[in-house]
Short mmCIF file of all heavy atoms in Angstrom, two decimals:
data_model
loop_
_atom_site.label_atom_id
_atom_site.label_comp_id
_atom_site.label_asym_id
_atom_site.label_seq_id
_atom_site.Cartn_x
_atom_site.Cartn_y
_atom_site.Cartn_z
N TYR A 171 2.31 16.22 -6.13
CA TYR A 171 1.28 16.66 -7.07
C TYR A 171 1.34 18.17 -7.30
O TYR A 171 1.28 18.65 -8.45
CB TYR A 171 -0.10 16.26 -6.55
CG TYR A 171 -1.25 17.01 -7.16
CD1 TYR A 171 -1.68 16.74 -8.48
CD2 TYR A 171 -1.89 18.02 -6.45
CE1 TYR A 171 -2.73 17.44 -9.03
CE2 TYR A 171 -2.95 18.73 -7.01
CZ TYR A 171 -3.36 18.45 -8.29
OH TYR A 171 -4.39 19.15 -8.86
N LEU A 172 1.49 18.93 -6.21
CA LEU A 172 1.54 20.39 -6.34
C LEU A 172 2.77 20.85 -7.10
O LEU A 172 2.71 21.86 -7.82
CB LEU A 172 1.54 21.04 -4.95
CG LEU A 172 0.23 20.94 -4.15
CD1 LEU A 172 0.37 21.66 -2.80
CD2 LEU A 172 -0.93 21.53 -4.94
N VAL A 173 3.88 20.12 -6.98
CA VAL A 173 5.09 20.47 -7.72
C VAL A 173 4.82 20.53 -9.22
O VAL A 173 5.38 21.36 -9.92
CB VAL A 173 6.22 19.44 -7.40
CG1 VAL A 173 7.30 19.47 -8.46
CG2 VAL A 173 6.81 19.74 -6.03
N PHE A 174 3.93 19.65 -9.68
CA PHE A 174 3.62 19.61 -11.12
C PHE A 174 2.49 20.58 -11.49
O PHE A 174 2.16 20.71 -12.66
CB PHE A 174 3.24 18.19 -11.53
CG PHE A 174 4.40 17.24 -11.56
CD1 PHE A 174 4.75 16.52 -10.42
CD2 PHE A 174 5.16 17.10 -12.70
CE1 PHE A 174 5.84 15.65 -10.44
CE2 PHE A 174 6.26 16.23 -12.73
CZ PHE A 174 6.60 15.52 -11.59
N GLN A 175 1.96 21.30 -10.49
CA GLN A 175 0.97 22.34 -10.76
C GLN A 175 1.56 23.74 -10.71
O GLN A 175 0.90 24.70 -11.07
CB GLN A 175 -0.16 22.25 -9.72
CG GLN A 175 -0.86 20.89 -9.65
CD GLN A 175 -1.41 20.45 -10.97
OE1 GLN A 175 -2.20 21.17 -11.59
NE2 GLN A 175 -1.02 19.27 -11.43
N ILE A 176 2.81 23.83 -10.27
CA ILE A 176 3.47 25.13 -10.10
C ILE A 176 4.51 25.31 -11.19
O ILE A 176 5.24 24.37 -11.54
CB ILE A 176 4.14 25.21 -8.70
CG1 ILE A 176 3.08 25.07 -7.61
CG2 ILE A 176 4.89 26.51 -8.54
CD1 ILE A 176 3.68 24.85 -6.22
N LYS A 177 4.61 26.50 -11.71
CA LYS A 177 5.63 26.80 -12.73
C LYS A 177 7.01 26.87 -12.06
O LYS A 177 7.22 27.65 -11.15
CB LYS A 177 5.33 28.13 -13.42
CG LYS A 177 4.10 28.09 -14.31
CD LYS A 177 3.89 29.40 -15.02
CE LYS A 177 2.69 29.35 -15.95
NZ LYS A 177 2.47 30.63 -16.66
N MET A 178 7.92 26.03 -12.53
CA MET A 178 9.30 26.02 -12.04
C MET A 178 10.17 25.31 -13.06
O MET A 178 9.67 24.70 -14.02
CB MET A 178 9.40 25.32 -10.68
CG MET A 178 8.98 23.86 -10.69
SD MET A 178 9.19 23.04 -9.08
CE MET A 178 7.94 23.91 -8.11
N SER A 179 11.48 25.39 -12.90
CA SER A 179 12.38 24.74 -13.84
C SER A 179 12.22 23.22 -13.74
O SER A 179 11.85 22.69 -12.71
CB SER A 179 13.82 25.13 -13.55
OG SER A 179 14.24 24.56 -12.32
N ARG A 180 12.51 22.57 -14.85
CA ARG A 180 12.36 21.11 -14.90
C ARG A 180 13.31 20.43 -13.91
O ARG A 180 12.92 19.46 -13.24
CB ARG A 180 12.65 20.59 -16.30
CG ARG A 180 12.48 19.08 -16.46
CD ARG A 180 12.70 18.65 -17.88
NE ARG A 180 11.70 19.22 -18.76
CZ ARG A 180 11.66 19.02 -20.07
NH1 ARG A 180 12.57 18.24 -20.66
NH2 ARG A 180 10.72 19.57 -20.80
N ILE A 181 14.51 20.96 -13.78
CA ILE A 181 15.48 20.38 -12.85
C ILE A 181 14.98 20.45 -11.42
O ILE A 181 15.05 19.48 -10.66
CB ILE A 181 16.85 21.08 -12.98
CG1 ILE A 181 17.46 20.83 -14.36
CG2 ILE A 181 17.81 20.62 -11.88
CD1 ILE A 181 18.74 21.57 -14.60
N LEU A 182 14.45 21.62 -11.02
CA LEU A 182 13.94 21.79 -9.66
C LEU A 182 12.73 20.89 -9.46
O LEU A 182 12.59 20.29 -8.38
CB LEU A 182 13.55 23.25 -9.43
CG LEU A 182 12.99 23.58 -8.04
CD1 LEU A 182 13.99 23.19 -6.94
CD2 LEU A 182 12.62 25.05 -7.94
N ARG A 183 11.85 20.78 -10.45
CA ARG A 183 10.67 19.93 -10.32
C ARG A 183 11.06 18.47 -10.10
O ARG A 183 10.52 17.80 -9.23
CB ARG A 183 9.80 20.06 -11.57
CG ARG A 183 8.57 19.15 -11.54
CD ARG A 183 7.68 19.37 -12.74
NE ARG A 183 6.95 20.63 -12.65
CZ ARG A 183 7.08 21.62 -13.50
NH1 ARG A 183 7.93 21.52 -14.51
NH2 ARG A 183 6.38 22.74 -13.35
N VAL A 184 12.02 17.98 -10.89
CA VAL A 184 12.47 16.60 -10.76
C VAL A 184 13.13 16.38 -9.41
O VAL A 184 12.90 15.37 -8.74
CB VAL A 184 13.44 16.21 -11.90
CG1 VAL A 184 14.08 14.87 -11.63
CG2 VAL A 184 12.72 16.21 -13.23
N PHE A 185 13.94 17.35 -8.99
CA PHE A 185 14.63 17.24 -7.69
C PHE A 185 13.63 17.14 -6.54
O PHE A 185 13.76 16.27 -5.67
CB PHE A 185 15.55 18.44 -7.48
CG PHE A 185 16.10 18.54 -6.09
CD1 PHE A 185 17.15 17.71 -5.68
CD2 PHE A 185 15.57 19.43 -5.16
CE1 PHE A 185 17.65 17.78 -4.38
CE2 PHE A 185 16.08 19.51 -3.86
CZ PHE A 185 17.12 18.69 -3.48
N LEU A 186 12.62 18.03 -6.54
CA LEU A 186 11.65 18.02 -5.46
C LEU A 186 10.80 16.75 -5.49
O LEU A 186 10.49 16.18 -4.43
CB LEU A 186 10.74 19.25 -5.57
CG LEU A 186 11.40 20.59 -5.25
CD1 LEU A 186 10.44 21.74 -5.51
CD2 LEU A 186 11.89 20.63 -3.80
N ALA A 187 10.42 16.30 -6.68
CA ALA A 187 9.62 15.08 -6.77
C ALA A 187 10.38 13.87 -6.24
O ALA A 187 9.85 13.07 -5.49
CB ALA A 187 9.20 14.84 -8.23
N VAL A 188 11.67 13.77 -6.63
CA VAL A 188 12.50 12.67 -6.15
C VAL A 188 12.69 12.76 -4.64
O VAL A 188 12.66 11.74 -3.92
CB VAL A 188 13.86 12.65 -6.87
CG1 VAL A 188 14.80 11.65 -6.21
CG2 VAL A 188 13.69 12.32 -8.34
N LEU A 189 12.89 13.98 -4.13
CA LEU A 189 13.07 14.19 -2.70
C LEU A 189 11.84 13.75 -1.92
O LEU A 189 11.93 13.00 -0.92
CB LEU A 189 13.36 15.66 -2.41
CG LEU A 189 13.44 16.07 -0.93
CD1 LEU A 189 14.59 15.36 -0.23
CD2 LEU A 189 13.56 17.59 -0.80
N PHE A 190 10.67 14.19 -2.34
CA PHE A 190 9.43 13.86 -1.63
C PHE A 190 9.13 12.37 -1.68
O PHE A 190 8.73 11.76 -0.68
CB PHE A 190 8.25 14.67 -2.21
CG PHE A 190 8.38 16.16 -1.98
CD1 PHE A 190 7.85 17.05 -2.90
CD2 PHE A 190 9.01 16.66 -0.87
CE1 PHE A 190 7.96 18.41 -2.70
CE2 PHE A 190 9.12 18.01 -0.64
CZ PHE A 190 8.60 18.91 -1.58
N ILE A 191 9.30 11.76 -2.86
CA ILE A 191 9.04 10.33 -2.99
C ILE A 191 10.04 9.53 -2.14
O ILE A 191 9.66 8.54 -1.50
CB ILE A 191 9.12 9.91 -4.47
CG1 ILE A 191 7.97 10.54 -5.25
CG2 ILE A 191 9.08 8.38 -4.61
CD1 ILE A 191 8.07 10.36 -6.74
N SER A 192 11.29 9.97 -2.11
CA SER A 192 12.30 9.29 -1.29
C SER A 192 11.94 9.38 0.19
O SER A 192 12.12 8.40 0.95
CB SER A 192 13.68 9.90 -1.53
OG SER A 192 14.07 9.73 -2.88
N LEU A 193 11.43 10.53 0.63
CA LEU A 193 11.03 10.68 2.03
C LEU A 193 9.91 9.72 2.37
O LEU A 193 9.91 9.11 3.45
CB LEU A 193 10.59 12.13 2.28
CG LEU A 193 11.70 13.16 2.48
CD1 LEU A 193 11.13 14.58 2.53
CD2 LEU A 193 12.46 12.87 3.77
N VAL A 194 8.94 9.59 1.46
CA VAL A 194 7.83 8.66 1.70
C VAL A 194 8.35 7.24 1.88
O VAL A 194 7.99 6.56 2.86
CB VAL A 194 6.83 8.70 0.52
CG1 VAL A 194 5.79 7.60 0.67
CG2 VAL A 194 6.16 10.06 0.42
N LEU A 195 9.20 6.79 0.97
CA LEU A 195 9.72 5.44 1.04
C LEU A 195 10.59 5.20 2.25
O LEU A 195 10.50 4.16 2.92
CB LEU A 195 10.52 5.13 -0.24
CG LEU A 195 9.71 5.14 -1.55
CD1 LEU A 195 10.62 4.92 -2.74
CD2 LEU A 195 8.61 4.09 -1.52
N LEU A 196 11.43 6.18 2.60
CA LEU A 196 12.34 6.03 3.75
C LEU A 196 11.56 6.01 5.07
O LEU A 196 11.88 5.25 5.97
CB LEU A 196 13.37 7.15 3.77
CG LEU A 196 14.51 7.01 2.77
CD1 LEU A 196 15.36 8.28 2.74
CD2 LEU A 196 15.40 5.81 3.15
N ILE A 197 10.54 6.84 5.17
CA ILE A 197 9.73 6.87 6.39
C ILE A 197 9.02 5.52 6.57
O ILE A 197 9.00 4.96 7.68
CB ILE A 197 8.71 8.03 6.36
CG1 ILE A 197 9.43 9.37 6.52
CG2 ILE A 197 7.66 7.84 7.46
CD1 ILE A 197 8.55 10.58 6.32
N GLY A 198 8.49 4.99 5.48
CA GLY A 198 7.86 3.66 5.55
C GLY A 198 8.86 2.59 5.93
O GLY A 198 8.58 1.73 6.79
N LEU A 199 10.03 2.60 5.31
CA LEU A 199 11.07 1.61 5.60
C LEU A 199 11.54 1.70 7.05
O LEU A 199 11.81 0.69 7.68
CB LEU A 199 12.26 1.80 4.66
CG LEU A 199 13.44 0.85 4.82
CD1 LEU A 199 13.00 -0.60 4.59
CD2 LEU A 199 14.58 1.23 3.88
N SER A 200 11.59 2.92 7.56
CA SER A 200 12.06 3.11 8.95
C SER A 200 11.15 2.41 9.94
O SER A 200 11.61 1.90 10.98
CB SER A 200 12.13 4.61 9.29
OG SER A 200 10.84 5.18 9.47
N ARG A 201 9.86 2.31 9.65
CA ARG A 201 8.93 1.68 10.58
C ARG A 201 9.15 0.18 10.65
O ARG A 201 8.97 -0.44 11.71
CB ARG A 201 7.48 1.99 10.15
CG ARG A 201 7.17 3.47 10.01
CD ARG A 201 7.53 4.27 11.24
NE ARG A 201 6.58 4.08 12.30
CZ ARG A 201 6.70 4.56 13.53
NH1 ARG A 201 7.79 5.23 13.88
NH2 ARG A 201 5.77 4.36 14.45
N ILE A 202 9.54 -0.41 9.53
CA ILE A 202 9.87 -1.83 9.54
C ILE A 202 11.22 -2.05 10.23
O ILE A 202 11.35 -2.95 11.08
CB ILE A 202 9.95 -2.37 8.09
CG1 ILE A 202 8.64 -2.13 7.36
CG2 ILE A 202 10.28 -3.88 8.09
CD1 ILE A 202 8.69 -2.45 5.87
N TYR A 203 12.19 -1.24 9.89
CA TYR A 203 13.55 -1.36 10.48
C TYR A 203 13.51 -1.23 12.00
O TYR A 203 14.19 -1.97 12.71
CB TYR A 203 14.45 -0.28 9.88
CG TYR A 203 15.87 -0.31 10.41
CD1 TYR A 203 16.87 -1.03 9.75
CD2 TYR A 203 16.22 0.41 11.55
CE1 TYR A 203 18.17 -1.05 10.25
CE2 TYR A 203 17.50 0.38 12.06
CZ TYR A 203 18.48 -0.35 11.39
OH TYR A 203 19.76 -0.39 11.87
N LEU A 204 12.69 -0.31 12.49
CA LEU A 204 12.62 -0.06 13.93
C LEU A 204 11.75 -1.07 14.66
O LEU A 204 11.60 -1.00 15.87
CB LEU A 204 12.14 1.36 14.20
CG LEU A 204 13.04 2.47 13.67
CD1 LEU A 204 12.36 3.83 13.78
CD2 LEU A 204 14.39 2.48 14.39
N GLY A 205 11.12 -1.97 13.92
CA GLY A 205 10.36 -3.06 14.53
C GLY A 205 8.97 -2.71 15.00
O GLY A 205 8.36 -3.49 15.73
N VAL A 206 8.44 -1.57 14.58
CA VAL A 206 7.14 -1.13 15.09
C VAL A 206 5.99 -1.38 14.13
O VAL A 206 4.83 -1.13 14.46
CB VAL A 206 7.19 0.36 15.49
CG1 VAL A 206 8.10 0.57 16.67
CG2 VAL A 206 7.60 1.24 14.31
N HIS A 207 6.32 -1.86 12.91
CA HIS A 207 5.27 -2.18 11.95
C HIS A 207 5.62 -3.40 11.11
O HIS A 207 6.81 -3.62 10.81
CB HIS A 207 5.02 -1.00 11.00
CG HIS A 207 4.07 0.02 11.52
ND1 HIS A 207 2.75 -0.26 11.79
CD2 HIS A 207 4.24 1.34 11.82
CE1 HIS A 207 2.16 0.84 12.23
NE2 HIS A 207 3.04 1.81 12.26
N PHE A 208 4.62 -4.15 10.72
CA PHE A 208 4.78 -5.19 9.74
C PHE A 208 4.92 -4.55 8.37
O PHE A 208 4.37 -3.45 8.13
CB PHE A 208 3.57 -6.12 9.73
CG PHE A 208 3.34 -6.87 11.00
CD1 PHE A 208 2.30 -6.49 11.86
CD2 PHE A 208 4.12 -7.96 11.31
CE1 PHE A 208 2.08 -7.18 13.05
CE2 PHE A 208 3.90 -8.67 12.50
CZ PHE A 208 2.89 -8.27 13.36
N PRO A 209 5.61 -5.17 7.42
CA PRO A 209 5.68 -4.63 6.06
C PRO A 209 4.29 -4.38 5.46
O PRO A 209 4.08 -3.41 4.73
CB PRO A 209 6.45 -5.71 5.29
CG PRO A 209 7.33 -6.33 6.32
CD PRO A 209 6.52 -6.33 7.59
N SER A 210 3.34 -5.30 5.73
CA SER A 210 1.99 -5.11 5.20
C SER A 210 1.30 -3.89 5.79
O SER A 210 0.45 -3.27 5.14
CB SER A 210 1.16 -6.37 5.43
OG SER A 210 1.15 -6.74 6.80
N ASP A 211 1.67 -3.52 7.03
CA ASP A 211 1.15 -2.27 7.62
C ASP A 211 1.59 -1.09 6.79
O ASP A 211 0.83 -0.15 6.53
CB ASP A 211 1.68 -2.09 9.04
CG ASP A 211 1.18 -3.13 10.03
OD1 ASP A 211 0.12 -3.73 9.76
OD2 ASP A 211 1.85 -3.34 11.05
N VAL A 212 2.87 -1.10 6.42
CA VAL A 212 3.47 0.01 5.67
C VAL A 212 2.86 0.08 4.26
O VAL A 212 2.51 1.17 3.78
CB VAL A 212 5.00 -0.14 5.60
CG1 VAL A 212 5.60 0.92 4.67
CG2 VAL A 212 5.60 -0.03 6.99
N ILE A 213 2.74 -1.08 3.60
CA ILE A 213 2.14 -1.10 2.28
C ILE A 213 0.69 -0.59 2.34
O ILE A 213 0.26 0.21 1.51
CB ILE A 213 2.19 -2.53 1.68
CG1 ILE A 213 3.63 -2.96 1.47
CG2 ILE A 213 1.43 -2.57 0.35
CD1 ILE A 213 3.79 -4.43 1.08
N GLY A 214 -0.04 -1.06 3.35
CA GLY A 214 -1.41 -0.59 3.53
C GLY A 214 -1.48 0.89 3.75
O GLY A 214 -2.36 1.58 3.24
N GLY A 215 -0.53 1.42 4.53
CA GLY A 215 -0.48 2.86 4.78
C GLY A 215 -0.19 3.63 3.50
O GLY A 215 -0.80 4.68 3.24
N PHE A 216 0.75 3.13 2.70
CA PHE A 216 1.06 3.77 1.43
C PHE A 216 -0.17 3.82 0.53
O PHE A 216 -0.49 4.86 -0.07
CB PHE A 216 2.19 3.02 0.71
CG PHE A 216 3.56 3.29 1.26
CD1 PHE A 216 4.60 2.40 1.01
CD2 PHE A 216 3.85 4.43 1.99
CE1 PHE A 216 5.87 2.63 1.49
CE2 PHE A 216 5.11 4.67 2.49
CZ PHE A 216 6.14 3.78 2.24
N VAL A 217 -0.85 2.67 0.40
CA VAL A 217 -2.00 2.59 -0.49
C VAL A 217 -3.13 3.49 0.01
O VAL A 217 -3.75 4.23 -0.76
CB VAL A 217 -2.50 1.14 -0.61
CG1 VAL A 217 -3.77 1.08 -1.46
CG2 VAL A 217 -1.42 0.27 -1.23
N ALA A 218 -3.39 3.48 1.33
CA ALA A 218 -4.44 4.33 1.90
C ALA A 218 -4.11 5.80 1.70
O ALA A 218 -5.00 6.61 1.39
CB ALA A 218 -4.61 4.02 3.38
N GLY A 219 -2.84 6.17 1.88
CA GLY A 219 -2.43 7.55 1.66
C GLY A 219 -2.59 7.96 0.21
O GLY A 219 -3.04 9.09 -0.08
N LEU A 220 -2.25 7.05 -0.71
CA LEU A 220 -2.40 7.35 -2.14
C LEU A 220 -3.86 7.50 -2.52
O LEU A 220 -4.22 8.37 -3.33
CB LEU A 220 -1.75 6.22 -2.96
CG LEU A 220 -1.66 6.46 -4.47
CD1 LEU A 220 -0.82 7.68 -4.78
CD2 LEU A 220 -1.08 5.22 -5.16
N ILE A 221 -4.71 6.67 -1.95
CA ILE A 221 -6.16 6.79 -2.18
C ILE A 221 -6.64 8.16 -1.74
O ILE A 221 -7.42 8.82 -2.43
CB ILE A 221 -6.92 5.68 -1.43
CG1 ILE A 221 -6.63 4.32 -2.03
CG2 ILE A 221 -8.43 5.94 -1.44
CD1 ILE A 221 -7.15 3.16 -1.20
N TRP A 222 -6.16 8.59 -0.59
CA TRP A 222 -6.59 9.88 -0.05
C TRP A 222 -6.11 11.04 -0.93
O TRP A 222 -6.85 11.99 -1.18
CB TRP A 222 -6.09 10.05 1.37
CG TRP A 222 -6.68 11.25 2.04
CD1 TRP A 222 -6.04 12.38 2.41
CD2 TRP A 222 -8.05 11.46 2.38
NE1 TRP A 222 -6.91 13.28 2.95
CE2 TRP A 222 -8.16 12.73 2.95
CE3 TRP A 222 -9.20 10.68 2.25
CZ2 TRP A 222 -9.36 13.25 3.40
CZ3 TRP A 222 -10.40 11.19 2.71
CH2 TRP A 222 -10.47 12.46 3.27
#
Side-chain angles (χ1 to χ4, degrees):
Y171 161 76
L172 291 181
V173 161
F174 288 89
Q175 303 304 304
I176 299 169
K177 291 183 179 180
M178 62 178 67
S179 69
R180 181 176 298 180
I181 294 176
L182 180 58
R183 177 176 287 117
V184 171
F185 170 77
L186 290 175
V188 171
L189 174 63
F190 294 148
I191 293 171
S192 298
L193 281 172
V194 172
L195 296 176
L196 284 171
I197 289 172
L199 180 60
S200 74
R201 305 307 284 173
I202 303 171
Y203 180 92
L204 298 172
V206 293
H207 274 297
F208 297 104
S210 54
D211 294 337
V212 173
I213 296 171
F216 283 159
V217 176
L220 187 61
I221 292 170
W222 189 248

